């Protein structure tokens, strides 16, 4: 399935840990957004790792699941960012 994960983390230390976890599973598309194809099992594993890091009283994680990626159309206004370009 295709997922989009957005987050709002209030502390830099937790933010960096969450970002590092998400990088293992998905592509970083914007500052607080990751996206990509992932299995249900891998998504559950990813969310479990994140759950161990976040403060549920201060932080939020949104997961949008798209069961059929043909039903999603992505449009970008302005500069299309790709954080993958920063890696060799």
């Amino acid at each position: 399935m295709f997922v989009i994960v957005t987050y709002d983390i209030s502390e830099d230390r937790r933010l960096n840990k969450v970002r590092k976890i998400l990088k293992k599973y998905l592509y970083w598309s914007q500052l607080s957004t990751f996206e990509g194809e992932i299995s249900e099992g891998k998504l559950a594993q990813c969310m479990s790792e994140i759950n161990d890091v976040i403060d549920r009283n201060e932080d939020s994680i949104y997961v949008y699941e798209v069961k059929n990626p043909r039903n999603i159309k992505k449009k970008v206004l302005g500069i299309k960012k790709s954080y993958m370009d920063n890696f060799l």
Side-chain angles (χ1 to χ4, degrees):
M1 87 180 104
F2 186 85
V3 298
I4 300 167
V5 178
T6 64
Y7 54 88
D8 189 7
I9 309 294
S10 62
E11 181 193 84
D12 285 343
R13 192 171 352 146
R14 289 194 309 269
L15 170 69
N16 290 331
K17 288 179 181 180
V18 167
R19 190 177 294 143
K20 185 176 180 179
I21 292 166
L22 287 167
K23 281 182 182 180
K24 293 189 312 187
Y25 297 95
L26 300 165
Y27 297 103
W28 195 12
S29 60
Q30 287 198 328
L31 290 180
S32 297
T33 307
F34 281 77
E35 61 186 45
E37 288 285 335
I38 191 169
S39 69
E40 289 187 30
K42 289 286 187 185
L43 179 60
Q45 182 178 351
C46 177
M47 291 300 113
S48 175
E49 290 179 40
I50 289 173
N51 191 47
D52 291 342
V53 171
I54 66 169
D55 180 336
R56 295 178 73 107
N57 296 314
E58 294 182 17
D59 305 329
S60 62
I61 307 290
Y62 285 57
V63 180
Y64 302 91
E65 298 180 10
V66 180
K67 300 292 184 183
N68 184 350
R70 291 183 298 184
N71 291 336
I72 192 167
K73 185 173 183 180
K74 180 178 175 180
K75 293 183 180 182
V76 179
L77 299 177
I79 298 170
K80 182 176 180 183
K81 295 182 179 181
S82 176
Y83 291 96
M84 293 304 293
D85 292 342
N86 294 334
F87 302 103
L88 295 177

